Amino acid sequence: MNPRKINIDRENITAEEINAGKDFQKVLKGYKKTGGFTLNKILLITATVTMVFVSAILFFRKENKQEDSKQTVNAESPQIKTTQKRKVNPPVEGIEIPFEKFTANNASKSSFKTKNGSLIHIPANAFIDNAGKEIIGTVEIRFREYKNVADIVLSGIPMEYDSAGQSLQLSSAGMFEITGYQGKNPVYIKQGKTIEVEMSSDKKEEIYNAYYFDTIDGNWKYLEKNRIKKSGAEKKSITRDSLETVTEVYVSENPYFGDEIKAIEKQEPIKPRKLNKNKNRFKIDVLQEEFPEMAIFNGLRFEVGPENKNFTTSMYNQEWEDVKLENNVPGKNYLATFTSATQKISLVVYPVYDQADSAKAMTLYQKKYVEYENKLNQRLRAEKAEQEKWEAERKKQEEEWKKAQDEYRIQEEMYNTKNQIMRVFAVDKFGIYNSDTPYNYKNGIELQPVYSINNEKITQMIVLHIDNNMRTVKMLYDKYPISFDPKSENYLLLILPEKMAIFKPEDFRKITAKKGEYNFQMNVIDQKFKNAEDFKEFLLSKK
Amino acid sequence: MVNTAGITKEEVSPPNEISLIEKAKTNPEAFSVLYNKYYEQIFRFCYQRCDEKEDAYDLTSQVFLKALTNLKKYKHQGFPFSSWLYRIAKSEVYQFLKDHKKQRAINIDSEKIKDMIREIESGSEEDKIPLLIQAIAELSDDDLNIIEMRYFESMSFKTIGEVLDITENNAKVRVYRILDKLKKSISHESKKN
């Protein structure tokens, strides 16, 4: 960030100076030069042409599948070249889902349960080394699961699936990765042996298939219709509504933001100064019975300030029906307003005293000042006490809200664990497995995106479109259109070398455009993520 | 009032601003009424954030040009037109300073900074003013804008909310949090010294 330049009490600019810069004709000329609404039409046409052009390229590529299969889509080169070969590319450096580790003795069968409730059943003599020799001793099985969109984002596993020349998005019921090592050396599953993995899943539908990610081809391979085992646990209904009570943390307004203090300060008495014989000044004679509030100004004179351009001494000898004296610039001067039947004059005046009256003037001033200070301090104390009270209430609400959220989360986990189903995979080689269904979303909005951060257009980046309801994560490339279901919980995650930015579901809900170009104003994510849990909390928390 | 394009004199009363905006969407010359009405406000907003008058003049012109160009997209949503202009101004200031590689200026009135220190330190702790100024200078762009709007430009929470497109309550909360931040910064620096 450039250092900022601080100016203290810079010279005021007058309204006249400001208005001297007005030039509406210049603005109108500029508007006509841009073409006004014509430019918007040109932009729309350009966007449409670009979309048609991109569609033409993709169509052409589909028809020439064989030639293109050698090219690689690298997530760091956002310009799309081909949809064929993909690779696993975790986008957030240093943050990945950690592996769970289990030790299996190759000589006997073993079973393990993961923290998510998945089961791994390993038959005896399942493993061989690089040379094809049977492993002797123990093997470390490494296993990690991807259960939600945050996990999928961090995994960097591509979720597009090519089938019959079409590129489809995979909607996931859960994924896992399994590998095996003996020391530092990878081990392999012997031909004819399979590890049975029962992956816990919260998706109960029977529409999902089992896939394996072929890292050589860079594509998902369909294995079979996903077999399901029910956990058999009793279904327990949890009342969720009662847990979602505190949605608004700051439910009460804090009225104490100093407005009353400001009002009191405006009444700060003005210290009179010794009069300047060369300046116009006057004394106000009033009938005290009629103007008791003016009694305190007896003996004081008022010097006419240089701000008054229209003052003439003719007003000295006039009789006025009413006079009001109020603070103008607090602590500096008053505004004296004189009214008669035919005239009303306001003057900025400064209280001054004659040498002979100096003691009286200062005594009066000091008395008024003490009263003012007492009033101010009293108010300050009261406000501080109220502010502390408000802060305590706010903190209490925050804690209640957090407690409610924690309870809800625990209940949710319990509910999911007790009612989950197990999706069964026959693992005959280590790697990444997925329970998915191809998702080709039909009715929704398609926009041609322009991405910007703080109004600066961004072009070279990775963009992920996340649909949390369908559990899809789609990698978009620069100028790739965005199709989304407005009823879903959509996110856009923009990944740049030094930072990330997000477009949240609440931002999606504000989109009224149904087609054409749209400027997605991304919000930079300030938070630094320590681990996968941090990132998951950020993305999926309902705060 | 007769605009400089020589269009026939029209009387415009404030409650008819919405219909004036609608008219200006198809007749750009009619925008001059809004231009004249809000020029000084927007200039002051820009000038608060710039070091030089000339930059503020250019920026103000740019804000109104942008407003006119995008006027067709403007929909009355229950808050004043000026709030929309302030939003554009906020964005244009940022872009202008960036494009021209100029320093962001923070223009501080000593009376207003005294108000702030009283609010933060609940008392007259004017010896902490330099620390407060330093802390303000270190705020993020967004936080700085909020502080300027509230304390240097005396905007109400409602207006701040409209400019930032957040609720009035949220605007209050954000101000409160920034003051908290400033207070902690002053306290920290005080201890160091």
Side-chain angles (χ1 to χ4, degrees):
Chain A
M1 182 165 71
N2 271 338
R4 283 138 173 188
K5 183 158 185 248
I6 301 187
N7 301 319
I8 314 273
D9 289 334
R10 179 171 66 173
E11 195 187 317
N12 276 337
I13 184 167
T14 62
E16 287 76 23
E17 271 183 277
I18 293 173
N19 289 317
K22 266 192 198 174
D23 187 351
F24 181 69
Q25 285 310 305
K26 182 180 165 190
V27 170
L28 200 57
K29 206 168 154 192
Y31 170 76
K32 284 174 182 165
K33 228 192 252 181
T34 61
F37 87 99
T38 312
L39 179 63
N40 292 338
K41 255 197 183 168
I42 291 169
L43 282 175
L44 183 60
I45 292 165
T46 309
T48 313
V49 165
T50 308
M51 280 174 66
V52 166
F53 187 57
V54 167
S55 305
I57 289 175
L58 292 175
F59 178 75
F60 179 72
R61 291 282 183 218
K62 269 189 250 172
E63 296 299 299
N64 296 278
K65 195 173 153 184
Q66 290 302 321
E67 283 114 30
D68 289 341
S69 64
K70 286 183 189 135
Q71 292 188 15
T72 308
V73 172
N74 184 337
E76 279 137 30
S77 315
Q79 293 303 317
I80 183 170
K81 302 269 188 264
T82 176
T83 55
Q84 301 305 307
K85 192 171 175 182
R86 304 176 185 89
K87 64 179 194 180
V88 176
N89 201 352
V92 185
E93 205 181 310
I95 308 272
E96 287 188 34
I97 306 293
F99 280 103
E100 281 181 86
K101 293 176 185 171
F102 308 96
T103 304
N105 186 338
N106 197 33
S108 52
K109 67 179 183 183
S110 38
S111 285
F112 305 101
K113 189 172 181 179
T114 74
K115 66 177 195 265
N116 289 313
S118 300
L119 300 167
I120 307 167
H121 306 292
I122 304 175
N125 305 311
F127 303 115
I128 53 174
D129 64 15
N130 201 25
K133 265 177 65 181
E134 206 151 291
I135 293 285
I136 297 167
T138 58
V139 164
E140 184 181 81
I141 299 297
R142 297 178 190 174
F143 189 88
R144 60 182 171 185
E145 292 170 269
Y146 307 102
K147 296 297 213 195
N148 51 57
V149 289
D151 291 346
I152 298 172
V153 165
L154 292 176
S155 74
I157 297 170
M159 298 299 284
E160 288 101 355
Y161 169 59
D162 297 322
S163 171
Q166 252 198 312
S167 187
L168 300 165
Q169 199 61 27
L170 291 174
S171 169
S172 179
M175 288 198 287
F176 65 87
E177 184 178 353
I178 183 168
T179 57
Y181 286 83
Q182 189 176 52
K184 287 189 183 151
N185 302 315
V187 302
Y188 304 89
I189 300 173
K190 192 173 168 184
Q191 197 165 14
K193 297 277 186 181
T194 55
I195 295 174
E196 187 175 87
V197 172
E198 294 179 47
M199 182 186 70
S200 64
S201 174
D202 58 347
K203 297 279 186 188
K204 297 167 184 37
E205 299 84 355
E206 296 190 21
I207 55 172
Y208 295 93
N209 306 315
Y211 296 87
Y212 170 76
F213 189 71
D214 186 331
T215 52
I216 298 175
D217 268 356
N219 201 2
W220 291 97
K221 299 281 187 239
Y222 171 82
L223 297 175
E224 58 180 349
K225 189 99 183 114
N226 210 187
R227 289 174 285 137
I228 291 170
K229 259 189 202 175
K230 294 249 163 76
S231 67
E234 63 181 67
K235 278 193 184 172
K236 197 174 176 180
S237 66
I238 311 271
T239 311
R240 296 182 194 195
D241 292 344
S242 59
L243 296 172
E244 290 177 326
T245 50
V246 184
T247 55
E248 177 82 28
V249 176
Y250 305 105
V251 294
S252 64
E253 290 185 10
N254 181 356
Y256 298 102
F257 279 90
D259 288 339
E260 283 207 35
I261 301 282
K262 284 191 209 310
I264 295 172
E265 282 168 350
K266 276 189 180 159
Q267 298 161 27
E268 184 183 349
I270 300 162
K271 192 172 178 180
R273 54 175 196 235
K274 200 168 158 197
L275 63 84
N276 181 335
K277 288 197 167 119
N278 297 321
K279 291 198 175 172
N280 286 308
R281 61 192 178 280
F282 57 85
K283 207 165 63 159
I284 304 177
D285 278 329
V286 296
L287 290 171
Q288 290 196 23
E289 310 85 68
E290 281 191 38
F291 300 96
E293 72 278 10
M294 295 297 289
I296 54 167
F297 294 109
N298 269 348
L300 265 185
R301 281 154 174 78
F302 296 93
E303 200 170 87
V304 179
E307 304 88 336
N308 303 297
K309 304 293 178 205
N310 299 322
F311 171 77
T312 62
T313 51
S314 64
M315 66 173 289
Y316 281 166
N317 297 320
Q318 268 184 273
E319 267 193 18
W320 301 92
E321 287 175 8
D322 190 16
V323 60
K324 273 193 180 54
L325 207 60
E326 51 195 344
N327 278 39
N328 187 37
V329 176
K332 272 198 181 154
N333 55 46
Y334 293 106
L335 190 72
T337 303
F338 300 89
T339 313
S340 71
T342 53
Q343 251 189 312
K344 187 172 177 177
I345 294 177
S346 289
L347 298 172
V348 176
V349 297
Y350 294 79
V352 294
Y353 58 83
D354 196 295
Q355 189 59 44
D357 294 327
S358 65
K360 185 179 172 187
M362 289 314 292
T363 305
L364 194 64
Y365 163 74
Q366 270 148 13
K367 181 182 169 210
K368 282 182 73 183
Y369 196 85
V370 165
E371 279 169 15
Y372 156 78
E373 218 174 22
N374 285 342
K375 192 175 176 186
L376 181 66
N377 287 334
Q378 202 175 15
R379 185 66 216 161
L380 284 168
R381 280 194 295 273
E383 287 209 2
K384 190 179 174 191
E386 287 298 330
Q387 218 158 15
E388 280 166 4
K389 209 165 108 180
W390 179 85
E391 177 60 39
E393 178 61 32
R394 183 182 71 103
K395 203 171 164 189
K396 186 177 154 201
Q397 283 180 16
E398 231 175 19
E399 280 163 10
E400 275 173 17
W401 174 83
K402 192 172 178 303
K403 193 174 157 195
Q405 286 294 310
D406 287 344
E407 275 177 26
Y408 179 84
R409 212 174 296 129
I410 290 166
Q411 294 275 12
E412 184 91 324
E413 279 170 17
M414 277 173 57
Y415 179 83
N416 285 337
T417 310
K418 283 191 163 26
N419 292 284
Q420 64 197 0
I421 60 164
M422 309 301 268
R423 296 187 169 275
V424 184
F425 293 79
V427 172
D428 58 2
K429 45 181 172 285
F430 286 130
I432 298 169
Y433 290 80
N434 201 349
S435 181
D436 274 278
T437 183
Y439 173 60
N440 191 8
Y441 133 91
K442 297 179 182 71
N443 300 314
I445 295 172
E446 187 170 280
L447 298 173
Q448 189 59 40
V450 171
Y451 303 103
S452 54
I453 292 175
N454 292 325
N455 293 310
E456 187 187 336
K457 195 172 160 183
I458 310 286
T459 50
Q460 295 294 317
M461 70 280 170
I462 299 169
V463 182
L464 301 174
H465 172 215
I466 300 163
D467 182 330
N468 196 25
N469 293 57
M470 295 312 299
R471 206 173 286 163
T472 61
V473 176
K474 183 173 183 177
M475 186 173 292
L476 301 170
Y477 303 91
D478 189 23
K479 295 193 185 1
Y480 221 55
I482 294 180
S483 298
F484 65 95
D485 181 350
K487 294 193 213 66
S488 264
E489 196 179 311
N490 291 287
Y491 298 79
L492 284 176
L493 196 63
L494 192 147
I495 301 171
L496 292 159
E498 300 290 324
K499 60 189 171 195
M500 289 198 286
I502 192 162
F503 194 80
K504 290 184 174 178
E506 49 265 38
D507 299 318
F508 267 97
R509 283 192 282 274
K510 287 177 190 164
I511 297 176
T512 51
K514 299 272 185 278
K515 55 183 178 178
E517 191 175 273
Y518 189 85
N519 185 0
F520 288 89
Q521 294 268 14
M522 310 292 293
N523 297 300
V524 172
I525 299 171
D526 290 322
Q527 192 176 338
K528 297 277 176 251
F529 302 111
K530 292 193 284 285
N531 50 41
E533 279 308 308
D534 248 10
F535 179 76
K536 211 185 300 191
E537 169 81 21
F538 166 79
L539 194 65
L540 301 178
S541 162
K542 294 290 182 221
K543 276 194 277 198
Chain B
M1 167 170 47
V2 178
N3 70 30
T4 54
I7 306 294
T8 319
K9 178 177 173 177
E10 273 183 48
E11 294 291 333
V12 177
S13 48
N16 289 333
E17 190 168 86
I18 300 166
S19 54
L20 176 62
I21 293 165
E22 290 305 310
K23 187 172 176 183
K25 283 181 183 180
T26 48
N27 178 12
E29 276 90 358
F31 188 72
S32 68
V33 177
L34 297 161
Y35 174 85
N36 288 326
K37 183 176 177 184
Y38 292 112
Y39 185 89
E40 185 181 333
Q41 266 173 268
I42 298 300
F43 178 92
R44 289 194 185 278
F45 183 89
C46 296
Y47 191 44
Q48 167 64 30
R49 291 152 178 80
C50 292
D51 201 29
E52 290 162 29
K53 259 180 247 175
E54 292 311 313
D55 290 344
Y57 286 125
D58 288 342
L59 263 169
T60 308
S61 199
Q62 193 56 29
V63 167
F64 283 100
L65 175 58
K66 198 124 202 206
L68 183 56
T69 310
N70 289 288
L71 198 65
K72 283 190 173 57
K73 296 182 201 164
Y74 174 81
K75 278 187 197 139
H76 180 66
Q77 291 175 323
F79 54 78
F81 184 65
S82 56
S83 300
W84 187 64
L85 290 175
Y86 279 126
R87 279 194 210 174
I88 296 174
K90 183 170 157 284
S91 168
E92 286 301 303
V93 165
Y94 175 84
Q95 199 58 43
F96 178 89
L97 295 174
K98 196 165 177 294
D99 291 345
H100 293 85
K101 294 183 172 39
K102 294 214 174 196
Q103 272 182 314
R104 169 70 150 91
I106 306 177
N107 292 293
I108 293 179
D109 178 297
S110 52
E111 290 300 320
K112 290 179 177 171
I113 206 76
K114 283 180 194 167
D115 289 344
M116 270 195 82
I117 199 76
R118 282 189 205 114
E119 196 160 330
I120 292 170
E121 295 291 329
S122 60
S124 191
E125 302 233 21
E126 292 181 9
D127 56 317
K128 292 197 176 151
I129 286 177
L131 293 176
L132 173 59
I133 293 175
Q134 185 187 323
I136 290 173
E138 288 166 5
L139 288 174
S140 67
D141 279 342
D142 283 346
D143 285 355
L144 175 61
N145 256 318
I146 292 175
I147 288 297
E148 282 173 321
M149 285 193 276
R150 177 67 186 159
Y151 290 100
F152 303 159
E153 292 161 331
S154 304
M155 283 190 192
S156 66
F157 291 112
K158 187 163 188 281
T159 305
I160 294 172
E162 286 160 6
V163 174
L164 300 179
D165 196 20
I166 55 178
T167 63
E168 181 182 346
N169 205 35
N170 203 346
K172 279 189 191 171
V173 166
R174 283 175 76 164
V175 167
Y176 179 81
R177 280 185 174 156
I178 297 166
L179 290 182
D180 211 30
K181 214 187 277 189
L182 292 171
K183 187 174 179 173
K184 285 185 176 127
S185 178
I186 292 171
S187 172
H188 176 73
E189 288 300 315
S190 279
K191 284 184 185 141
K192 261 169 68 176
N193 294 338

